[in-house]
Amino acid sequence: MQFRNITLGALAALLLFATACTDELNIADPNRLSTGQYYENQSQAVAAVDAIYNTLIIDGMYQRMTPIYHDGRGDEISSRSPWPFLTGLSAFTVPGTDGALEIFWAGHYIMISRANQALENIPQIEDVDAQLRERLLGQAYFLRGLAYFNLTNALNNVPLVLTTPNGVESFYPSNEDVTQEMVYAQVKSDLENAINRLPVNYDAVGGPDQGQEGRATKGAAQALLGKVHLYEGDYTAATPLFAAVVNSGEYALAPRYADLFSQDPGIENANPGKIFWADFTTSTSSEFNWGGDPNVNWRQFLALTPTYSVGDFFDFYPTRFLYDEMRKERTVDGKLDPRYHATLLSYEPAEGYTTAYGVDWFERGYGENDYFIKKYTNAANGTDAFSAGFDYHIIRYADVLLMYAESLAQTGDIAAAAGYVQQVRDRANLPDREAEFAAYSLEEFMEQLEHERIMELAIEGVRFYDLKRWGHLQGAELEELRSHDFEFATFTPGEDEFLPIPQTEIDRNPNLVGNSAN
């Protein structure tokens, strides 16, 4: 598998090479215009922001690595990959010298670099409608905030690069005095800037972005900012942000949970619960989108599909803990929760599930008691995993409802919180337990909420960070996690909450230092 990326350190070498060239040797490449040749009109301003979105679908972002960074370290799945990077990541033992750590790092800093260029140059273009300009800047702020949110959650004290480097020294940013609090502060600033500039939707805007779905909205920025406050434990600040999203009238739960994980564009586009996502397609174009420059031959498929699929790479499998947790409660008509069937693949003849990848369960060679990952895989019908077109959910409405419920409970309104939890349960046809939950103590409610979040959001990149912010990565809770997932046997509190900063970057950049994981 090949991937192409440009890291901060590598850019320094490019600059040194450029300054060594004479004017006679500088030949303009029409396919790689300089900043001075670009940013001249409104179309180029729009294209500059579109280029930031393009980063969402490369390997270092949501095509594969970001979901793996988030899911692999939780107790819902374990790794059985022949690739030591994946097993090491999942078991908290990957060394900083593993070159694959660069993929996530580079993907996020490519997004940041493109956002910085847009933020610096779009205000200087005269030929841009004023309202469109604000929307474009709002999207750039949102995407930069998202990138830094992912980076600091995974790596802690990452360098804050907020301008385009303009000399050799600026290609070597330092993270020595950076803290996660500082990165979160920058993320919050970016998201507040985004909220002030973004529309609730693009239906009524005037301009080339009119009617375009998938662009960042005010609701997306509010939801992400609320999540930042939640991760900081500031429930008072988080609550009104989630309330704004819920009360906006822009979002609702899709009628069928399984429709959230369809490769059918018609079903995906009709989902009222999508707030922000990475858009993949079922294209069979010739060139895989692992990274580098986009071109007309990009396939734009979700590489997470073969990675999680038992029918393909089979790098990950669900833990017994997840299997048992998702079977705890039955629907009002006595069936398994439909979210189970969208998340896990198992043999359930009483409910009509007797095939895998479009073939009889036993003809596939599986045992009656086997179970595998189904979410984001092609297990339902056996389509080509290497042209998987699942849109990857980054922010969705059900998560906002559950985060809102948590914030309400933590600020003293468990009764209201119970109603939002039951909203999510209602879609799954589960018994109405709102009155029961409303009478819970905070400790009882949080225990129930943990179960509800697993049911709704399993294998969607939130579990590890939930465990961390709830204090489960230490003491008796850590021992329980070790019973859920053998990989936690090698987890050391205070050392393994973050993944290492790539040693290759530290070697390139004399001002970069490692974190507690290095």
Side-chain angles (χ1 to χ4, degrees):
M1 187 180 301
Q2 295 181 338
F3 61 90
R4 293 172 291 169
N5 55 66
I6 299 177
T7 62
L8 297 176
L11 284 170
L14 292 176
L15 178 65
L16 289 172
F17 176 81
T19 56
C21 296
T22 66
D23 291 340
E24 288 78 9
L25 294 178
N26 288 335
I27 302 174
D29 182 346
N31 297 313
R32 293 182 178 275
L33 300 177
S34 69
T35 301
Q37 297 168 305
Y38 200 71
Y39 297 107
E40 293 181 345
N41 55 54
Q42 180 168 286
S43 296
Q44 290 177 335
V46 173
V49 171
D50 290 348
I52 315 173
Y53 284 100
N54 168 264
T55 320
L56 291 170
I57 64 171
I58 64 173
D59 193 20
M61 293 293 289
Y62 291 98
Q63 190 203 22
R64 182 179 58 155
M65 279 300 167
T66 294
I68 287 172
Y69 266 50
H70 296 342
D71 290 332
R73 293 179 293 157
D75 59 345
E76 297 174 332
I77 64 174
S78 302
S79 178
R80 55 164 302 282
S81 176
W83 188 10
F85 171 68
L86 296 185
T87 52
L89 181 151
S90 197
F92 310 97
T93 59
V94 64
T97 53
D98 194 313
L101 289 167
E102 279 197 356
I103 306 173
F104 177 89
W105 175 279
H108 284 76
Y109 275 107
I110 290 171
M111 173 174 275
I112 290 165
S113 174
R114 293 179 184 178
N116 287 342
Q117 292 177 61
L119 290 168
E120 290 172 4
N121 291 287
I122 289 176
Q124 312 306 319
I125 305 174
E126 295 181 0
D127 180 28
V128 180
D129 174 80
Q131 292 182 338
L132 174 62
R133 187 196 309 275
E134 288 300 291
R135 294 195 297 274
L136 293 174
L137 293 174
Q139 293 167 71
Y141 277 119
F142 172 83
L143 292 165
R144 187 173 72 176
L146 173 64
Y148 271 120
F149 183 64
N150 285 341
L151 278 168
T152 192
N153 287 334
L155 303 174
N156 193 13
N157 59 324
V158 295
L160 284 166
V161 182
L162 305 176
T163 59
T164 303
N166 57 10
V168 175
E169 290 185 5
S170 59
F171 278 104
Y172 297 108
S174 176
N175 66 330
E176 187 169 6
D177 297 321
V178 175
T179 63
Q180 185 168 75
E181 290 73 22
M182 293 169 62
V183 183
Y184 274 156
Q186 182 59 49
V187 173
K188 288 185 286 188
S189 174
D190 280 349
L191 295 175
E192 287 162 358
N193 272 305
I195 289 169
N196 292 331
R197 290 171 167 83
L198 291 174
V200 294
N201 60 54
Y202 289 81
D203 294 343
V205 303
D209 53 349
Q210 183 178 16
Q212 292 186 347
E213 293 188 351
R215 292 188 180 275
T217 61
K218 185 184 293 290
Q222 289 169 326
L224 186 55
L225 182 55
K227 192 170 185 176
V228 178
H229 287 302
L230 195 77
Y231 277 30
E232 291 184 308
D234 189 348
Y235 298 103
T236 300
T239 301
L241 289 159
F242 295 139
V245 178
V246 171
N247 296 329
S248 69
E250 289 292 316
Y251 310 103
L253 295 172
R256 293 180 66 252
Y257 185 80
D259 287 349
L260 299 172
F261 308 99
S262 168
Q263 299 181 71
D264 184 329
I267 294 175
E268 289 179 329
N269 293 339
N271 176 9
K274 293 172 73 173
I275 298 179
F276 192 70
W277 62 96
D279 196 349
F280 295 93
T281 73
T282 54
S283 164
T284 56
S285 297
S286 60
E287 187 170 336
F288 291 103
N289 51 308
W290 297 118
D293 292 340
N295 61 68
V296 295
N297 295 317
W298 262 33
R299 182 167 290 203
Q300 301 181 30
F301 84 111
L302 180 66
L304 191 66
T305 296
T307 301
Y308 281 3
S309 168
V310 62
D312 299 285
F313 291 158
F314 192 23
D315 287 315
F316 291 90
Y317 61 94
T319 62
R320 181 73 192 198
F321 159 72
L322 179 60
Y323 174 83
D324 290 340
E325 189 75 15
M326 296 201 76
R327 299 175 73 93
K328 278 184 175 180
E329 189 175 9
R330 296 276 171 160
T331 64
V332 295
D333 50 0
K335 295 182 178 180
L336 284 168
D337 190 314
R339 295 173 295 185
Y340 171 92
H341 289 302
T343 304
L344 298 180
L345 175 68
S346 62
Y347 183 68
E348 308 291 340
E351 299 191 10
Y353 291 88
T354 60
T355 63
Y357 301 88
V359 178
D360 178 81
W361 183 265
F362 297 107
E363 288 182 16
R364 292 282 305 185
Y366 303 149
E368 185 173 344
N369 298 317
D370 287 340
Y371 51 91
F372 311 102
I373 297 173
K374 186 175 185 180
K375 187 174 286 186
Y376 286 124
T377 77
N378 57 347
N381 52 29
T383 54
D384 178 17
F386 293 90
S387 60
F390 299 98
D391 286 352
Y392 188 84
H393 296 280
I394 300 171
I395 305 170
R396 63 183 180 90
Y397 187 56
D399 190 14
V400 172
L401 287 173
L402 294 176
M403 291 191 291
Y404 186 30
E406 180 177 350
S407 295
L408 286 169
Q410 291 286 355
T411 53
D413 197 349
I414 294 176
Y420 291 109
V421 169
Q422 189 59 45
Q423 274 192 43
V424 178
R425 292 170 53 86
D426 285 344
R427 177 174 59 187
N429 197 29
L430 294 177
D432 188 343
R433 299 174 62 189
E434 181 178 347
E436 176 189 347
F437 298 160
Y440 278 176
S441 67
L442 179 59
E443 182 179 357
E444 290 170 330
F445 184 86
M446 288 302 297
E447 183 176 348
Q448 182 67 38
L449 183 72
E450 181 174 342
H451 169 75
E452 302 293 344
R453 287 185 64 78
I454 291 171
M455 296 304 300
E456 181 68 27
L457 300 164
I459 318 180
E460 291 188 52
V462 300
R463 175 64 174 170
F464 179 77
Y465 301 109
D466 283 349
L467 293 171
K468 182 179 178 180
R469 64 193 180 83
W470 291 334
H472 290 359
L473 299 180
Q474 54 192 341
E477 289 86 356
L478 177 57
E479 290 306 312
E480 184 176 353
L481 289 177
R482 287 171 175 159
S483 72
H484 295 174
D485 181 357
F486 72 93
E487 292 163 323
F488 277 91
T490 46
F491 179 89
T492 302
E495 296 181 11
D496 294 330
E497 285 84 357
F498 301 101
L499 289 162
I501 290 176
Q503 185 62 44
T504 49
E505 287 296 322
I506 296 174
D507 292 342
R508 293 184 183 114
N509 182 350
N511 298 321
L512 195 63
V513 299
N515 57 21
S516 59
N518 283 93

